[in-house]
Amino acid sequence: MKKCLFALVLGTALSVCVPAQTRIRGGASFDRTVYDFGDICVSDGPVSCNYVVTNSGTSPLNILSVVTSCGCTNVKWTRESIEPGKKGVISATYKNDEGPVPFDKTLTVYLSCAKEPVILRLRGISREKVLPLEERYTVLYGDLALKSDGFPRLNLNQGQQKSGEITVANLGAKSITVRFTDLSEGLSLRLDNNPIPAHQTARLIYTITAGNDRWGLCEYSAVPVVNDVRQRGFFITAATKEDFSGLSGEEKAAGPNPKFEDSVLAFKSRRTSGKVQLEFKMGNVGEKTLHIHKADVDNAAATVGTISDVPAGGQSSFTVTVDTGALTEGENRVMITLTTNSPLRPVVNLFVTGFIN
């Protein structure tokens, strides 16, 4: 690969914590589910990465199939059975022929040990030429720099462990050593290159284990300490739902099943601020009691009232209160995300819309 790929520093890792893998129910674990190439050049041509799967079960494991999201990505994988304790490899090559654009591709992996597929991602930004680090990494934690404040969100089943990664940079004139403190329970972090040499990059791998008391959208936090200087903290978001992968189709069908009279409610156009209240009516057409683990709202102007359990065949409702004075002028849309105990609808999205004059 040409020197344009100087941003990818893959030196020997010194972890700041014990590395963790993404565990899959049934006896498999991946060393990563996301591979970030960072910034590359169109002139670099195809770029490749590997995902290592370990058979952590007691029976032979087979990678049945790997389906790519588009023809721009080629994939190969271990075809023979993977014995307990042994490893297999999924190799992906992004052709890098789509021009200077960001890319985010998926690999859908079907394993013999799991009823649901595993989603792997490879992403990066292809450019005509690579910009200086200072122009690409603008969110500063001392000399440690990130491209943005946000981390890609992880989606997990309860009790599952999953990893993501971002590329970080050292903008300083000397190497930096980074450690992390004040980590939320369930979060671990490691750098694959630590200390990070001056004007070089490293991969920051974050791993979240979804505890039994976490539902829906949850924030995990940590504070980086750069060369023994404590920095401001950052947050990583993960969405956690109930794990139904061990249920048969018949068992899923026999569970609770929410049905809503309306999935979108609208309030009348308003010129003055105030609070409006809307009511979502829901029924349970399933065979077991419906429970809402958590209701998340994507706008602080809205709050959700108490949501009661709904017995099989029963009806219920709950309210959403919107402070219209906290909304912006024009069309507004608020999304309410319910995390449920329904195998058929573990996550339900509802919406409130309205116009502020």
Side-chain angles (χ1 to χ4, degrees), residues 25 115 243-252 343:
R25 184 186 180 99
K115 294 182 179 180
D243 185 2
F244 301 107
S245 61
L247 299 182
S248 66
E250 292 78 10
E251 289 172 324
K252 291 180 180 180

Side-chain angles (χ1 to χ4, degrees), residues 217 260 262-267 278-280 282 292 294-299 301-305 307 318-322 333-340 345-353:
L217 293 178
F260 291 84
D262 297 287
S263 60
V264 181
L265 296 178
F267 60 83
L278 302 100
E279 183 182 42
F280 282 98
M282 65 178 178
I292 307 300
K294 189 181 180 188
D296 289 298
V297 185
D298 70 349
N299 192 313
T303 56
V304 177
I307 306 178
F318 64 91
T319 59
V320 176
T321 302
V322 181
R333 189 198 73 165
V334 177
M335 183 169 71
I336 301 98
T337 301
L338 305 180
T339 303
T340 83
R345 301 189 70 185
V347 177
V348 178
N349 290 322
L350 306 172
F351 300 91
V352 169
T353 64

